[in-house]
Amino acid sequence: MADVNQQTIIFDDPQALAAGVAERIQGRVQAAADRSAPFHLVLAGGSTPQGLYRQLALGGERPDWSRVHFWFSDERCVPPDHRDSNYRMVRETLLQSIDAPARNVHRIACEDAPQQAAQAYDAELARLAAPGRRWPRFDLVLLGVGEDGHTASLFPGTPVLTVRDRGAAPVYVEKLASWRVSLTYPVLNDARRVLFLVAGGKKAGIVSQLLGANAQNYPAGAIRPRGELIWCLDRAAAAGLPGAAAERR
Ligand code: 6PG
């Protein structure tokens, strides 16, 4: 397997993690400001990134969000104002506080049937792709990890893990008895940079698996971008790692 340019950074606590990752994101967006191409950012769902998004919202007009395209790693198949909606979470913690043009926010329209929502997202990815490509090459993908080693909605044992011909696909999650739409491995692994954001002692076990020899046993372990892979952890989530495994902040 091709080597991945990987690094692990450990922060004291969730607040330091949010502040440190927010600073990295602001820096990356700012550094791309003089490029003609837009900055394509994929946002993770769930609870962990909420502190980060609130931190980014505090930055106001820094960075210049007007050239950033916001995408979603996955979505629950619920209406956009449902309490479980990742879009609603991102709107409330970040988007409503920054000046991001609505045309640059690419929501997964999960009020539609899962297959239809996935096909529509795949078409939106293609619409924004450079000539000859199926999807944009994402500048930065934020991802979380579940205790079972899933990431986005790439859950263990689901058919979406084998999808190679589309950028987005529907997935039925048996244990949650619910449908989701997820970005797929080809589009995630094509990214310039993937950043896992993981916090809390409950994730220490899966983190030590994913940063150890058994990574390939889990869906998150197959995230091997051709660009950079950065694990940003708080101390609690890093508790199972050997001492020298990471740079501490
Ligand atoms: C989602 C996410 C999912 C999440 C993990 C971790 O829609 O839930 O995309 O992959 O990142 O389940 O979730 P927590 O941050 O809530 O632990």
Side-chain angles (χ1 to χ4, degrees):
M1 172 166 309
D3 279 347
V4 171
N5 172 8
Q6 178 168 324
Q7 65 169 342
T8 301
I9 306 170
I10 298 174
F11 297 84
D12 281 341
D13 53 41
Q15 292 70 30
L17 173 66
V21 174
E23 201 178 302
R24 275 164 178 73
I25 294 172
Q26 287 159 342
R28 289 283 173 202
V29 173
Q30 208 57 46
D34 56 358
R35 250 176 31 182
S36 56
F39 189 97
H40 289 284
L41 172 63
V42 176
L43 298 174
S47 55
T48 303
Q50 294 181 27
L52 163 64
Y53 299 154
R54 289 194 180 94
Q55 187 72 33
L56 286 172
L58 291 176
E61 289 321 299
R62 178 181 166 274
D64 172 8
W65 294 109
S66 64
R67 295 181 50 259
V68 175
H69 284 253
F70 295 87
W71 300 85
F72 291 79
S73 63
D74 63 321
E75 185 56 279
R76 294 82 179 275
C77 288
V78 294
D81 57 356
H82 190 282
R83 69 176 180 285
D84 290 344
S85 164
N86 284 333
Y87 169 74
R88 173 177 165 180
M89 179 273 287
V90 169
R91 189 190 70 227
E92 291 177 347
T93 56
L94 175 59
L95 296 177
Q96 68 187 17
S97 305
I98 63 173
D99 187 17
R103 67 178 179 281
N104 292 356
V105 178
H106 307 283
R107 176 176 75 82
I108 304 175
C110 272
E111 61 275 24
D112 300 330
Q115 182 62 37
Q116 187 184 338
Q119 284 170 348
Y121 212 56
D122 205 26
E124 183 72 349
L125 287 163
R127 186 175 73 84
L128 273 292
R133 288 179 54 88
R134 291 283 312 269
W135 45 72
R137 187 175 185 203
F138 289 126
D139 292 283
L140 176 59
V141 175
L142 298 176
L143 291 174
V145 169
E147 291 177 60
D148 61 358
H150 80 263
T151 188
S153 283
L154 303 170
F155 281 83
T158 56
V160 68
L161 300 180
T162 60
V163 170
R164 294 293 179 270
D165 61 348
R166 282 162 287 158
V171 47
Y172 183 73
V173 186
E174 200 77 42
K175 69 178 180 182
L176 301 175
S178 63
W179 280 94
R180 297 199 173 185
V181 170
S182 183
L183 292 183
T184 58
Y185 281 125
V187 66
L188 293 170
N189 282 334
D190 189 31
R192 287 192 170 84
R193 192 168 288 104
V194 173
L195 190 154
F196 277 107
L197 190 72
V198 193
K202 285 184 182 171
K203 303 287 178 75
I206 193 63
V207 165
S208 57
Q209 292 293 304
L210 289 167
L211 289 177
N214 300 324
Q216 288 307 305
N217 296 345
Y218 305 93
I223 296 291
R224 318 279 300 165
R226 58 190 186 104
E228 270 187 288
L229 177 58
I230 308 164
W231 286 84
C232 288
L233 312 169
D234 73 350
R235 199 179 293 284
L241 296 181
E247 177 189 339
R248 294 175 188 275
R249 289 294 168 94

